[in-house]
Amino acid sequence: VACVALLLTLGLQALWWQRVSLLQQTPEIAKYINSAGPTLQGLFASSATQALRVEGSGLQALDEHNLRVDLTLHNQLVLPARWPYLKVELLDPQGLVLASKSLSPSDYQLRDENAASQAPLIPGKKTVEVLAYLNLSTLNTQLPESAATGFRLELFDQGPSEQKSPS
């Protein structure tokens, strides 16, 4: 009986670890999960770096002290995806980093809506537009004298303080 219970437990654990890849192959169940409540979605959500692709981005100067980063994210998978953490690096004409800013989902917002952290997960096969606002005076004291002509963007699954450091 103990051996059967152990085998059953190991089988369930293997299914649990493979749940996302198994559900990728059954779109009917994935549609149900996408329309389910946040708790069920959270159980089957994919990480941002696995699921999301940046389809478009732009940098716009709002005034001499504020920039807006426009970003279009597409969830390539059929299951919901978690909101990413963003790292925005402002670049000079030579491509050197003038300043960088890490943004959590509570630091950026969906277009015409609230912060991404208050929104449900990104549904499977959906595209969302987000906006991030950067105040240049809080980034770097040298930045206002130097014009940022470009930017680089990275997506992360966790914020810098939550990432595990190598032991």
Side-chain angles (χ1 to χ4, degrees):
V1 172
C3 288
V4 170
L6 180 61
L7 286 174
L8 183 60
T9 303
L10 289 174
L12 289 173
Q13 186 177 19
L15 282 173
W16 179 255
W17 286 107
Q18 296 297 318
R19 71 189 182 280
V20 173
S21 60
L22 291 172
L23 288 170
Q24 295 288 6
Q25 300 167 12
T26 54
E28 308 80 35
I29 297 174
K31 285 180 188 175
Y32 172 74
I33 292 170
N34 277 305
S35 62
T39 304
L40 186 61
Q41 282 185 354
L43 286 174
F44 296 99
S46 302
S47 69
T49 55
Q50 288 179 328
L52 300 178
R53 180 179 71 227
V54 177
E55 288 195 335
S57 60
L59 182 68
Q60 179 182 5
L62 301 175
D63 57 39
E64 64 183 44
H65 297 291
N66 295 291
L67 297 174
R68 183 179 76 196
V69 177
D70 299 311
L71 184 62
T72 303
L73 299 172
H74 177 71
N75 183 353
Q76 307 173 86
L77 304 179
V78 295
L79 293 170
R82 298 188 194 317
W83 289 98
Y85 286 78
L86 306 173
K87 181 179 181 186
V88 180
E89 295 178 332
L90 300 176
L91 308 174
D92 70 3
Q94 290 78 35
L96 299 174
V97 176
L98 295 171
S100 68
K101 175 81 174 168
S102 294
L103 303 168
S104 72
S106 61
D107 295 329
Y108 60 88
Q109 67 185 45
L110 292 155
R111 186 175 291 279
D112 302 325
E113 293 188 32
N114 293 330
S117 62
Q118 298 171 349
L121 298 174
I122 303 169
K125 298 293 183 186
K126 296 292 181 188
T127 300
V128 294
E129 294 182 12
V130 298
L131 305 172
Y133 295 92
L134 305 174
N135 184 324
L136 298 178
S137 59
T138 62
L139 291 178
N140 186 338
T141 56
Q142 298 176 353
L143 190 58
E145 298 145 15
S146 308
T149 58
F151 72 102
R152 185 172 31 228
L153 181 75
E154 292 181 67
L155 304 181
F156 295 97
D157 291 320
Q158 305 175 23
S161 63
E162 298 166 351
Q163 291 177 356
K164 296 176 183 169
S165 58
S167 304

